[in-house]
Amino acid sequence: MLSELGYLSKDGRQVTEEGQKLRRLYTEQDLVAAECLRRGTWNRLDAPSLAGALSMLIHEPRGEEQLEPRMPNVETTEAYHEMVAVWSQLQDREADKRLASAGQLDAGIAWMIHRWASGGSLEDVLKGSDMSAGDFVRRSRQVIDLLGQVAQAAQPDVADNARSATAAMLRGVLRPIVSASQGS
């Protein structure tokens, strides 16, 4: 399947240029992310919207937690629909080849992540949701990690937005921890 998609050579022995980008992505939805990069799905997104879109690749509701997807803007909604189409196409290919597939995309925290990356307070971000601050911080750190990976794999505009989103998210409860030896 990776050969068919162009991530490996036809004989499956060489990693292609697109495959090099895929190697930089470490998420259960890495193929979706790589295909979105290839197709330009995230090219029109600003930094907070990119963070919101990437949250859809990592968010997995816990137990009964069901957040009603709330999209921050039209561009993120359009990216979500494109991402679902990519995911669906990959699911079909995986099913044809009897490969295990990753779970569905979940837009449950896209608005919250966008709001945080836009400078919103933790209180405002969590208002109206059942998500705990600890769960939000954990998911946000996963988004920040994926933003770093996308910054390594993406074309310059998307990479710049990924770095900007990372910088915007690393504040308050998500501020990097500096050890005593580093801070002196």
Side-chain angles (χ1 to χ4, degrees), residues 68-119:
E68 184 65 31
R70 182 175 173 191
M71 295 297 179
N73 54 40
V74 171
E75 294 80 12
T76 307
T77 302
E78 290 171 353
Y80 172 67
H81 290 297
E82 289 176 34
M83 291 167 66
V84 169
V86 168
W87 174 84
S88 181
Q89 292 164 4
L90 291 171
Q91 289 291 301
D92 291 346
R93 282 178 174 262
E94 289 169 344
D96 289 346
K97 298 195 178 309
R98 297 184 183 164
L99 298 171
S101 61
Q104 295 183 350
L105 304 182
D106 191 307
I109 63 170
W111 181 88
M112 296 167 75
I113 293 291
H114 182 279
R115 181 82 175 223
W116 182 258
S118 297

Side-chain angles (χ1 to χ4, degrees), residues 21-180:
K21 292 176 187 176
L22 175 60
R23 290 173 70 179
R24 293 182 179 107
L25 302 169
Y26 303 101
T27 175
E28 286 188 33
Q29 301 287 357
D30 54 2
L31 272 176
V32 174
E35 285 293 302
C36 287
L37 285 173
R38 179 191 287 183
R39 297 175 188 199
T41 301
W42 302 322
N43 290 2
R44 67 187 171 281
L45 300 178
D46 62 11
S49 299
L50 178 60
L54 292 184
S55 76
M56 299 173 205
L57 298 173
I58 58 98
H59 180 62
E60 295 178 18
R62 289 175 130 188
E64 297 298 314
E65 176 187 307
Q66 291 295 329
L67 297 175
E68 184 65 31
R70 182 175 173 191
M71 295 297 179
N73 54 40
V74 171
E75 294 80 12
T76 307
T77 302
E78 290 171 353
Y80 172 67
H81 290 297
E82 289 176 34
M83 291 167 66
V84 169
V86 168
W87 174 84
S88 181
Q89 292 164 4
L90 291 171
Q91 289 291 301
D92 291 346
R93 282 178 174 262
E94 289 169 344
D96 289 346
K97 298 195 178 309
R98 297 184 183 164
L99 298 171
S101 61
Q104 295 183 350
L105 304 182
D106 191 307
I109 63 170
W111 181 88
M112 296 167 75
I113 293 291
H114 182 279
R115 181 82 175 223
W116 182 258
S118 297
S121 71
L122 185 60
E123 181 182 352
D124 286 343
V125 167
L126 295 176
K127 190 182 295 182
S129 83
D130 292 335
M131 181 174 275
S132 71
D135 283 342
F136 177 76
V137 167
R138 184 173 57 81
R139 299 260 173 56
S140 295
R141 290 202 184 278
Q142 292 173 321
V143 171
I144 290 166
D145 185 46
L146 186 52
L147 282 163
Q149 295 167 29
V150 167
Q152 298 270 322
Q155 296 297 325
D157 288 346
V158 174
D160 289 345
N161 279 336
R163 285 188 284 277
S164 294
T166 298
M169 290 184 71
L170 286 173
R171 62 186 175 81
V173 295
L174 289 166
R175 186 176 359 204
I177 298 170
V178 179
S179 71

